[in-house]
Amino acid sequence: RPCRHQLVGTPCARSAVRRQRSLDVQPSENMTPRSLFALLALSSTDACTMYGVSRTASADGSTMVSHSDDGAGDSDSRLSYVPPARHKAGSMRDIYPTIDEYPKFIGDAFGKTFLPLPGQALTKPIGQIPQVEATHGYYLNGYAIQNDCELSFGESTASAV
């Protein structure tokens, strides 16, 4: 079902403005050496970390969410945009294996970012599930990050594996 800002397949001006604003992030004038040291210390750990900044904590009233991806080996950190789509009733969605290393996926199911380069074989699906009629566009890295309606997703490194 569409978010309150847009219908699936139409641009959301509010989201576009916020996406542009998020690209213009500048270092805070209030950052102290102590807080900078704390951030650097966290970055050297061997686990993924979620970061959140509320509108009351940012200089311009923006809300920000970020995630560090501290995977072992050659993590695939490419960012892709998967556009909104409509699907035929009864269609199925392919499910692909979880691969953290580069390249984590090769194909066109998750936007243009993962199109094959010369010599790369397409990632083979491991199964299928029923597809919904309409999907919102979303940004994808190691996991879905945020959709066109500004709904964000997070992950913590707390698996039972």
Side-chain angles (χ1 to χ4, degrees):
R1 89 184 203 227
C3 73
R4 63 188 176 100
H5 304 297
Q6 73 178 56
L7 295 173
V8 173
T10 61
C12 179
R14 183 174 158 186
S15 293
V17 168
R18 287 185 188 232
R19 278 193 298 275
Q20 180 58 44
R21 193 176 353 163
S22 70
L23 298 175
D24 297 333
V25 174
Q26 299 295 320
S28 170
E29 295 174 11
N30 299 326
M31 181 161 286
T32 65
R34 186 179 204 177
S35 60
L36 181 59
F37 176 76
L39 287 174
L40 291 173
L42 287 172
S43 68
S44 66
T45 62
D46 189 24
C48 300
T49 305
M50 289 292 300
Y51 303 93
V53 178
S54 71
R55 62 182 174 79
T56 58
S58 64
D60 67 352
S62 295
T63 301
M64 296 170 259
V65 179
S66 185
H67 176 95
S68 69
D69 191 358
D70 302 328
D74 187 16
S75 294
D76 191 343
S77 60
R78 294 176 292 169
L79 178 65
S80 182
Y81 177 71
V82 180
R86 294 208 175 266
H87 309 279
K88 293 180 182 177
S91 63
M92 301 295 283
R93 180 193 189 282
D94 288 334
I95 302 297
Y96 296 94
T98 300
I99 301 170
D100 291 327
E101 291 79 28
Y102 177 87
K104 69 177 150 211
F105 177 80
I106 302 169
D108 63 358
F110 301 114
K112 296 178 182 178
T113 302
F114 303 111
L115 293 176
L117 298 174
Q120 289 182 326
L122 297 177
T123 303
K124 295 179 183 177
I126 57 173
Q128 291 185 319
I129 59 172
Q131 179 62 276
V132 296
E133 182 181 321
T135 54
H136 289 286
Y138 61 96
Y139 291 90
L140 173 72
N141 186 276
Y143 351 77
I145 297 174
Q146 185 177 54
N147 73 10
D148 286 342
C149 294
E150 301 176 10
L151 175 63
S152 296
F153 301 88
E155 177 269 351
S156 69
T157 309
S159 69
V161 180

